């Protein structure tokens, strides 16, 4: 803007438009960041509430529920979905192998849930108890 001089109206408008765009994008980024922070804080609070209940539930019952959830996805897989590794074709995977993708997504969410539950424990002793609980659940799943 200053390079072309303030009297050049065309460049001044362009510079003003660019500045407004940058300001708008920064505002959007701040809003997205604050929304993510609120979601994260809400999620952490939910995990904290659920941890006490989670520790009290029998490992076998958790394993049974996990199995039922996985089976629901597994039984829907069609043989054609397994052909040519269709679930790896990024652009068409949801079209070619929707049930395999759902099952993979469920497994990934389970892994994330396990990680978050353990890592959000406030101290090492509680983390240790949670790791032990998850290992016992794994034994039930076998």
């Amino acid at each position: 803007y200053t390079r072309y001089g303030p009297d050049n109206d065309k460049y001044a408008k362009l510079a003003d438009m660019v500045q407004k765009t940058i300001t708008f994008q920064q505002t959007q980024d701040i809003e997205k960041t604050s929304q993510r922070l609120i979601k994260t804080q809400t999620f952490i609070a939910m995990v904290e509430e659920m941890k006490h209940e989670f520790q009290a539930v029998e490992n076998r019952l958790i394993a049974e529920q996990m199995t039922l959830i996985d089976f629901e996805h597994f039984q829907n897989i069609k043989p054609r979905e397994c052909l040519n590794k269709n679930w790896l074709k990024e652009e068409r995977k949801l079209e070619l192998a929707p049930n395999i993708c759902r099952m993979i997504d469920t497994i990934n969410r389970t892994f994330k849930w396990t990680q978050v539950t353990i890592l959000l424990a406030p101290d090492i002793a509680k983390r240790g108890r949670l790791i032990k609980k998850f290992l016992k659940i794994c034994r039930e799943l076998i």
Side-chain angles (χ1 to χ4, degrees):
Y1 167 66
T2 56
R3 181 174 165 192
Y4 300 105
D7 43 319
N8 191 334
D9 195 41
K10 180 179 171 183
Y11 293 110
K13 286 181 182 177
L14 179 62
D16 187 48
M17 185 177 70
V18 169
Q19 184 60 42
K20 285 180 181 177
T21 303
I22 291 170
T23 304
F24 176 75
Q25 288 174 344
Q26 289 172 338
T27 304
Q28 292 296 97
D29 289 344
I30 290 170
E31 287 177 17
K32 286 179 186 174
T33 302
S34 63
Q35 288 173 353
R36 268 190 248 127
L37 183 60
I38 290 169
K39 286 180 184 177
T40 302
Q41 289 172 339
T42 304
F43 178 72
I44 290 171
M46 282 178 23
V47 169
E48 283 297 319
E49 287 177 29
M50 290 172 52
K51 268 195 282 190
H52 301 295
E53 295 172 26
F54 173 69
Q55 288 284 48
V57 177
E58 280 183 52
N59 301 328
R60 184 185 51 78
L61 292 176
I62 294 172
E64 284 176 5
Q65 291 304 309
M66 291 172 73
T67 302
L68 290 171
I69 291 167
D70 286 343
F71 181 72
E72 188 176 320
H73 295 301
F74 182 76
Q75 73 179 357
N76 292 325
I77 294 174
K78 309 288 184 259
R80 65 175 167 70
E81 292 183 50
C82 300
L83 298 174
N84 303 318
K85 298 181 186 176
N86 285 330
W87 63 92
L88 296 176
K89 297 178 180 167
E90 199 60 44
E91 63 282 344
R92 295 187 61 208
K93 68 181 181 183
L94 293 175
E95 178 186 333
L96 297 172
N99 297 305
I100 291 177
C101 290
R102 277 190 212 103
M103 187 153 186
I104 291 169
D105 186 51
T106 301
I107 291 167
N108 288 338
R109 280 188 275 133
T110 302
F111 290 155
K112 184 64 75 177
W113 167 66
T114 304
Q115 293 168 355
V116 168
T117 302
I118 292 168
L119 293 174
L120 288 179
D123 58 58
I124 204 157
K126 288 183 181 175
R127 277 191 199 132
R129 284 194 294 275
L130 286 168
I131 290 170
K132 191 174 180 180
K133 176 137 182 110
F134 279 113
L135 288 173
K136 289 179 180 178
I137 292 169
C138 287
R139 275 195 220 118
E140 293 288 337
L141 288 168
I142 294 178

